[in-house]
């Protein structure tokens, strides 16, 4: 079984809102809102991956050393295209350089309160943001009880 490692960044503005990006031109969840982030490459540190993905997807230039690691989420879920098992690493920051704009695999950006995430976002997103940002739960497991494909 392959284990996926994903790094996500929560950019927070002065009002505590989170920046989301609408996915575009992707094979999974195209058109849905999500955090900037993606797969951690072999040998890459999670914070470095989070900063790299933020630059690619939203134009934010982040210092990996300044990112706050706020949570870890284990997932084991069944999708229409198969099963995914792994870990989401969540980082948070309220400082960045660069002009925020849609980049790779994104069509638009928007600021949202963590308790008012759009309905057309990835299904796990609202729960993850509430747990890690509001409730400050450091570790969570989202395991789909349904059998694999």
């Amino acid at each position: 079984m392959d284990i996926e490692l994903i790094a996500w960044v929560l950019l927070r503005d002065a009002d505590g809102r989170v920046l989301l990006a609408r996915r575009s031109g992707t094979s999974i969840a195209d058109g849905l809102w999500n955090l900037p982030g993606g797969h951690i490459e072999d040998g890459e540190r999670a914070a470095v991956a989070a900063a790299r993905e933020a630059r690619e997807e939203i134009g934010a230039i982040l210092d990996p050393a300044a990112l706050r690691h706020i949570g870890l989420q284990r997932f084991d879920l069944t999708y229409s295209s198969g099963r995914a098992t792994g870990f989401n690493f969540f980082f948070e920051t309220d400082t960045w350089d660069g002009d925020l704009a849609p980049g790779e695999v994104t069509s638009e950006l928007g600021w949202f309160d963590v308790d008012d995430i759009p309905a057309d976002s990835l299904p796990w997103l609202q729960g993850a943001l509430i747990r890690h940002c509001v409730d400050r739960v450091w570790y969570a497991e989202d395991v789909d009880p349904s059998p694999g494909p």
Side-chain angles (χ1 to χ4, degrees):
M1 164 185 1
D2 290 333
I3 301 294
E4 295 185 33
L5 301 176
I6 314 292
W8 303 102
V9 177
L10 289 80
L11 266 67
R12 305 287 295 264
D13 69 5
D15 295 323
R17 297 176 303 169
V18 175
L19 184 72
L20 298 182
R22 190 179 294 277
R23 297 172 59 85
S24 177
T26 64
S27 60
I28 298 173
D30 199 48
L32 298 180
W33 289 101
N34 199 20
L35 293 169
H39 286 90
I40 300 170
E41 296 176 1
D42 289 342
E44 186 176 38
R45 292 177 174 234
V48 171
R52 174 182 50 77
E53 291 285 346
R55 186 172 191 147
E56 292 171 0
E57 294 183 6
I58 62 171
I61 301 169
L62 306 176
D63 175 3
L67 295 176
R68 295 178 298 276
H69 186 212
I70 61 167
L72 178 67
Q73 175 190 38
R74 177 179 174 256
F75 62 87
D76 186 5
L77 305 168
T78 302
Y79 296 96
S80 59
S81 59
R83 191 165 189 90
T85 300
F87 293 91
N88 288 318
F89 294 81
F90 294 95
F91 294 91
E92 181 180 59
T93 187
D94 56 6
T95 59
W96 60 88
D97 289 317
D99 295 322
L100 300 181
E104 292 181 16
V105 301
T106 59
S107 62
E108 67 179 301
L109 306 179
W111 292 99
F112 300 93
D113 290 328
V114 294
D115 58 355
D116 193 24
I117 300 302
D120 59 340
S121 62
L122 264 73
W124 63 270
L125 183 60
Q126 184 168 354
L129 291 180
I130 295 299
R131 277 194 301 272
H132 299 301
C133 294
V134 176
D135 297 339
R136 292 297 186 195
V137 173
W138 194 85
Y139 179 76
E141 291 193 59
D142 285 333
V143 179
D144 184 350
S146 64

